[in-house]
Amino acid sequence: MFARIFSAGSTWLTEIEKEDRRVLAEGLAGRVIEVGCGAGVNFAFYPPEVTEVVAVEPEAHFRGEATKAAAKVDVPVRVVPGVAERLPAENGEFDAAVLSLVMCSVQDPATALAEVSRVLRPGGQLHFYEHVAARGGVLRAIQHGMDATLWPLVAGGCHCGRDTANAIRDAGFEMVSLRHLAVKPFGIPSHLAPHILGVAARP
């Protein structure tokens, strides 16, 4: 049910986040794995330097939507089932990985990032766009309370207060660029407003 509701609003959300997603895809080249591709809203932003995208998605409805999106773009995209904690790929197989609004809902962030590191070649890049914990104050306390109660149950396992930037560093990636954003679809701060956008490298 959550996947169908989210898919219905994805076109509207993508329009709001269009510039952020364009920046997310900048510099990608070669073979790319996108982890948790959802309905495939990033596919249209991949540059022609990308030779193939393997888009991993565990949810069947999202995979169907992503397959339709893949058919509309010039970059070759292959949508496959799988979860972030057990990526269907060989060691060092990819030149880059993309994480986009997925780390909030993976069951084990540390394992998921270890898997991303495993499937990237040495020097490969991780491009990420994630909503994250606020950097302090009342909003961070609100996020903590929501994550400990009903929010993950009603939002498809989403945890709005995860510190994904530090999780990426803890997984051994070297931060290349990092921007903190406030995404406010209605111009009003919310528990989902804090975002990060950046690139990290596998040593």
Side-chain angles (χ1 to χ4, degrees):
M1 178 63 73
F2 175 79
R4 294 178 184 277
I5 294 171
F6 189 87
S7 290
S10 63
T11 301
W12 170 70
L13 287 169
T14 302
E15 187 61 32
I16 292 169
E17 300 170 339
K18 187 174 183 178
E19 178 60 18
D20 295 335
R21 293 181 186 274
R22 184 191 66 77
V23 173
L24 172 71
E26 280 183 349
L28 289 170
R31 298 192 71 229
V32 176
I33 185 167
E34 181 171 347
V35 181
C37 69
V41 295
N42 288 322
F43 298 167
F45 299 95
Y46 281 110
E49 292 79 9
V50 172
T51 57
E52 182 188 21
V53 178
V54 176
V56 181
E57 173 53 49
E59 209 284 323
H61 176 76
F62 277 147
R63 284 200 305 275
E65 295 299 306
T67 300
K68 294 176 187 176
K72 299 176 182 178
V73 299
D74 293 330
V75 171
V77 179
R78 180 160 52 94
V79 180
V80 300
V83 296
E85 295 87 352
R86 295 187 305 279
L87 292 175
E90 300 298 323
N91 294 351
E93 185 178 343
F94 293 96
D95 300 295
V98 172
L99 296 173
S100 175
L101 304 180
V102 65
M103 289 301 293
C104 62
S105 58
V106 299
Q107 291 187 4
D108 187 336
T111 299
L113 287 166
E115 275 289 275
V116 171
S117 180
R118 178 184 68 79
V119 302
L120 281 177
R121 62 168 175 79
Q125 290 192 333
L126 168 59
H127 290 226
F128 56 88
Y129 176 58
E130 296 285 344
H131 72 82
V132 294
R135 288 188 278 180
V138 174
L139 181 54
R140 185 152 190 171
I142 291 171
Q143 290 176 321
H144 179 75
M146 294 183 73
D147 283 352
T149 52
L150 291 178
W151 182 249
L153 298 176
V154 301
C158 171
H159 293 76
C160 56
R162 286 182 172 170
D163 186 354
T164 299
N166 276 329
I168 290 170
R169 293 188 184 98
D170 290 344
F173 288 92
E174 297 173 354
M175 201 64 71
V176 176
S177 65
L178 176 63
R179 292 171 54 196
H180 290 268
L181 311 171
V183 178
K184 305 173 185 177
F186 299 104
I188 302 171
S190 80
H191 61 293
L192 299 179
H195 280 59
I196 55 172
L197 173 63
V199 177
R202 181 192 184 280

